[in-house]
C-alpha cells in the first residue's frame, strides 16, 4: 500500500480523490487491526489486492467479527453492500484450513468513514452452514436467500430461509455449484408439462 | 366482364373474407417483452417504422383486449406458467409471433433455467430469427401474420387450439 501504487491506480483522480482513497485504505488497516485483536490466530488469511484487504475467517468467528466491524466507532461499517457465494471446489487452499468447498464474501461499506472492507467465510461441503447476519444487517435477508437458493449454503438463524430466484417446484439441486450440469438435469424441458397437463384435463371435462 | 351490370348494388363473397379482412387490418398486439427484443419492439411501434400503417399500433397491455402476442425475448422456466396463462387469457382468435432467437430456440441461453423455444407450449405462427431482429423484420412478420389471418376459416380456431394441445 505504498503511495506509488495509490497514485498509479488513481492517476486520473483529483487530489481529493487520492486523499479519500488513502483514508479508505487507512480505515481498512484499522479494521484489520481490530479483527486481529479480536480473533488473533483464528484469522485464516489476510489478502491484499491493490491495497484493498480481504480477511478470511471460519464460520464460528463470523458473528463476532461482523458485530465488531459494525459497532466499532472508529469503523462504523453500517452498510452491507453485497453477499456473494463462491464455489471453491477448483481451488487449492492450505491444508490447515481443512476441506473447503464454499466461500461467502461480505462486502462492507462505511458511510461515515467512506471506506470498504471485505470479509470472507469459508465452509466445507459436508457442513455448508454459516451464521446469518440478518440481525446485524437487515440487508442480508434476500442476499442470504439468494446464496442459499443457488449454492445451497444455509444460514443459521435466518428468519425466513427459502428460495428467492428459482420456482418452488424446481427439481434440481443447486444450479450454481460447479458440478451442476450447465444444461440442467432435464428441468427446463419439464417446466411446461404441468401447465399442459392441466389444460388437457380441463378440456376433457 | 360486364357482370357488374347484372349484380346491382350487392356483391357476393364468403363471410370469412369480410371478417378476416377486418381482423387482419386491426390486429391488437399484446407485447410480452422480457429482454432486448422488447426494445426493438418499441422501435417498431415508433413513428419511424410506424406499425399504424398495418393497423397494428393499438398495443394492449392486458391480454383480454388483444389478439396477437409478441413473445419478445427469452422465457425462463419460472415464467412459462405466466406466459401460458397470459396466452390463455387472450380471446379467440389469437396468433403468436415468436420474436428473436431466444424465444424461438433458447438461443445462447442453453442453460438449465431457460425454456428452449416457446413453441413447446404455445402454437407459434411466425418465427422471427435475429438477435435481436430489426424493426423491418417485425413488419415482415406482421405481414406474414396478416397472410395467415386472411386464409383462416371461421370455424378453424378452436380446432387449431385443440390440435396443438393434443400433440
Amino acid at each position: 500500500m505504498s503511495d506509488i501504487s495509490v497514485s498509479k491506480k488513481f492517476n486520473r483522480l483529483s487530489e481529493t480523490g487520492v486523499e479519500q482513497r488513502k483514508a479508505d485504505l487507512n480505515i481498512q488497516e484499522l479494521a484489520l487491526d481490530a479483527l486481529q485483536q479480536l480473533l488473533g490466530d483464528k484469522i485464516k488469511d489476510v489478502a491484499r489486492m491493490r491495497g484493498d484487504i480481504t480477511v478470511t475467517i471460519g464460520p464460528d468467528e463470523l458473528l463476532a467479527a461482523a458485530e465488531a466491524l459494525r459497532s466499532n466507532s472508529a469503523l462504523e461499517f453500517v452498510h452491507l453492500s453485497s453477499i456473494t457465494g463462491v464455489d471453491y471446489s477448483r481451488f487449492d487452499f492450505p491444508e490447515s484450513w481443512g476441506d473447503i468447498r464454499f466461500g461467502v464474501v461480505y462486502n462492507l461499506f462505511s458511510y461515515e468513514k467512506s471506506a470498504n472492507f471485505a470479509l470472507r467465510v469459508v465452509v466445507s461441503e459436508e457442513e455448508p452452514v454459516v451464521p446469518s447476519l440478518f440481525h446485524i444487517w437487515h440487508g442480508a435477508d434476500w442476499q442470504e436467500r439468494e446464496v442459499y437458493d443457488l449454492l445451497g449454503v444455509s444460514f443459521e438463524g435466518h428468519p425466513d430461509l427459502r428460495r428467492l430466484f428459482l420456482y418452488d417446484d424446481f427439481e434440481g439441486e443447486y444450479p450454481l455449484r460447479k458440478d451442476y450440469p450447465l444444461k440442467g438435469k432435464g428441468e427446463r424441458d419439464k417446466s411446461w408439462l404441468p401447465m399442459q397437463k392441466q389444460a388437457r384435463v380441463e378440456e376433457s371435462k | 366482364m360486364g357482370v357488374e351490370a347484372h349484380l346491382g348494388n350487392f356483391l357476393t363473397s364468403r363471410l370469412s373474407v369480410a371478417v378476416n379482412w377486418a381482423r387482419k387490418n386491426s390486429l391488437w398486439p399484446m407485447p410480452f417483452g422480457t429482454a432486448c427484443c422488447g426494445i426493438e419492439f418499441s422501435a417498431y411501434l415508433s413513428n419511424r417504422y410506424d406499425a399504424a400503417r398495418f393497423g397494428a399500433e393499438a398495443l394492449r397491455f392486458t391480454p383480454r383486449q388483444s389478439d396477437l402476442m409478441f413473445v419478445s425475448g427469452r422465457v425462463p422456466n419460472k415464467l412459462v406458467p405466466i406466459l401460458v396463462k397470459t396466452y390463455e387469457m387472450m380471446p379467440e382468435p389469437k396468433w403468436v409471433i415468436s420474436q428473436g432467437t431466444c424465444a424461438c430456440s433458447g438461443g445462447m441461453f442453453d442453460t438449465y433455467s431457460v425454456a428452449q423455444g416457446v413453441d413447446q407450449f404455445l402454437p407459434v405462427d411466425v418465427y422471427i430469427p435475429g438477435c435481436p431482429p430489426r424493426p423491418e423484420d417485425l413488419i415482415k412478420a406482421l405481414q406474414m401474420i396478416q397472410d395467415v389471418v386472411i386464409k383462416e376459416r371461421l370455424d378453424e380456431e378452436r380446432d387449431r387450439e385443440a390440435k396443438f394441445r393434443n400433440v
Side-chain angles (χ1 to χ4, degrees):
Chain A
M1 201 212 57
S2 65
D3 285 352
I4 298 168
S5 72
V6 169
S7 57
K8 252 187 194 170
K9 189 181 172 192
F10 289 92
N11 53 0
R12 286 186 195 166
L13 286 184
S14 63
E15 286 295 313
T16 1
V18 173
E19 289 305 314
Q20 275 175 3
R21 175 64 178 164
K22 278 182 188 167
D24 174 10
L25 297 182
N26 285 336
I27 294 292
Q28 293 195 29
E29 293 292 338
L30 276 181
L32 178 60
D33 287 346
L35 284 185
Q36 272 167 342
Q37 274 181 13
L38 184 74
L39 304 173
D41 300 341
K42 289 177 187 165
I43 291 181
K44 290 182 192 286
D45 184 41
V46 178
R48 288 166 196 273
M49 176 72 180
R50 291 177 178 163
D52 285 315
I53 298 175
T54 304
V55 173
T56 306
I57 53 177
D60 298 336
E61 290 85 57
L62 177 64
L63 276 178
E67 189 60 56
L69 289 172
R70 161 133 201 183
S71 57
N72 189 329
S73 59
L75 308 170
E76 290 187 61
F77 286 105
V78 293
H79 178 55
L80 178 63
S81 310
S82 75
I83 298 180
T84 317
V86 193
D87 186 343
Y88 283 124
S89 55
R90 293 176 191 171
F91 280 62
D92 287 327
F93 288 120
E95 292 277 322
S96 57
W97 290 22
D99 188 18
I100 296 303
R101 171 76 196 263
F102 301 111
V104 182
V105 184
Y106 300 87
N107 289 296
L108 310 177
F109 187 72
S110 166
Y111 287 112
E112 193 61 38
K113 311 289 177 189
S114 186
N116 301 283
F117 198 70
L119 204 58
R120 183 170 68 165
V121 179
V122 285
V123 287
S124 68
E125 182 171 5
E126 290 73 34
E127 207 191 348
V129 182
V130 176
S132 170
L133 295 187
F134 175 78
H135 299 288
I136 299 174
W137 292 285
H138 280 220
D141 186 359
W142 280 23
Q143 302 193 47
E144 285 178 350
R145 277 174 63 190
E146 179 187 352
V147 175
Y148 163 74
D149 189 4
L150 299 175
L151 212 58
V153 177
S154 71
F155 291 86
E156 210 172 9
H158 191 286
D160 183 24
L161 196 63
R162 58 196 162 89
R163 287 192 187 283
L164 180 65
F165 287 138
L166 294 169
Y167 39 100
D168 288 336
D169 45 359
F170 180 74
E171 285 172 2
E173 291 135 359
Y174 302 108
L176 228 55
R177 290 190 177 184
K178 292 288 178 196
D179 53 4
Y180 196 83
L182 178 65
K183 296 180 183 181
K185 296 180 174 175
E187 59 267 29
R188 70 179 181 190
D189 306 320
K190 278 188 258 170
S191 64
W192 53 275
L193 276 177
M195 240 18 234
Q196 204 85 330
K197 270 184 202 153
Q198 194 191 342
R200 239 182 267 170
V201 168
E202 277 170 13
E203 213 154 85
S204 65
K205 271 178 193 169
Chain B
M1 290 167 70
V3 187
E4 295 89 341
H6 303 285
L7 280 178
N9 287 331
F10 62 90
L11 181 72
T12 56
S13 174
R14 278 175 294 139
L15 179 63
S16 65
V17 172
V19 171
N20 285 338
W21 173 83
R23 279 178 180 169
K24 95 171 179 136
N25 288 308
S26 63
L27 289 165
W28 287 25
M30 149 90 208
F32 198 91
T34 55
C36 41
C37 282
I39 307 297
E40 292 299 312
F41 184 76
S42 309
Y44 145 81
L45 281 172
S46 66
N47 48 8
R48 188 181 178 96
Y49 298 98
D50 198 12
R53 289 177 292 163
F54 309 96
E57 85 283 14
L59 272 200
R60 283 298 175 267
F61 292 95
T62 162
R64 297 190 192 283
Q65 298 175 359
S66 49
D67 56 1
L68 171 63
M69 178 182 259
F70 276 87
V71 183
S72 320
R74 58 189 175 267
V75 180
N77 293 344
K78 198 175 177 177
L79 205 60
V80 167
I82 297 159
L83 174 58
V84 173
K85 197 170 221 171
T86 313
Y87 173 76
E88 285 174 350
M89 277 182 191
M90 288 164 63
E92 292 279 353
K94 50 193 172 185
W95 298 274
V96 179
I97 291 179
S98 161
Q99 182 196 350
T101 313
C102 299
C104 294
S105 70
M108 62 186 269
F109 297 98
D110 192 6
T111 66
Y112 67 95
S113 58
V114 177
Q116 303 296 296
V118 293
D119 51 1
Q120 292 177 87
F121 37 84
L122 291 186
V124 176
D125 294 287
V126 174
Y127 299 85
I128 318 176
C131 186
R134 286 191 55 81
E136 289 92 333
D137 298 331
L138 273 90
I139 291 172
K140 176 71 179 167
L142 189 72
Q143 288 175 327
M144 287 166 81
I145 281 284
Q146 287 182 331
D147 289 346
V148 171
V149 173
I150 198 74
K151 284 174 193 157
E152 211 136 276
R153 288 162 54 98
L154 290 187
D155 56 351
E156 200 180 36
E157 287 103 24
R158 291 307 302 175
D159 292 346
R160 214 165 57 114
E161 184 83 20
K163 239 184 258 172
F164 179 77
R165 281 279 152 67
N166 291 330
V167 166

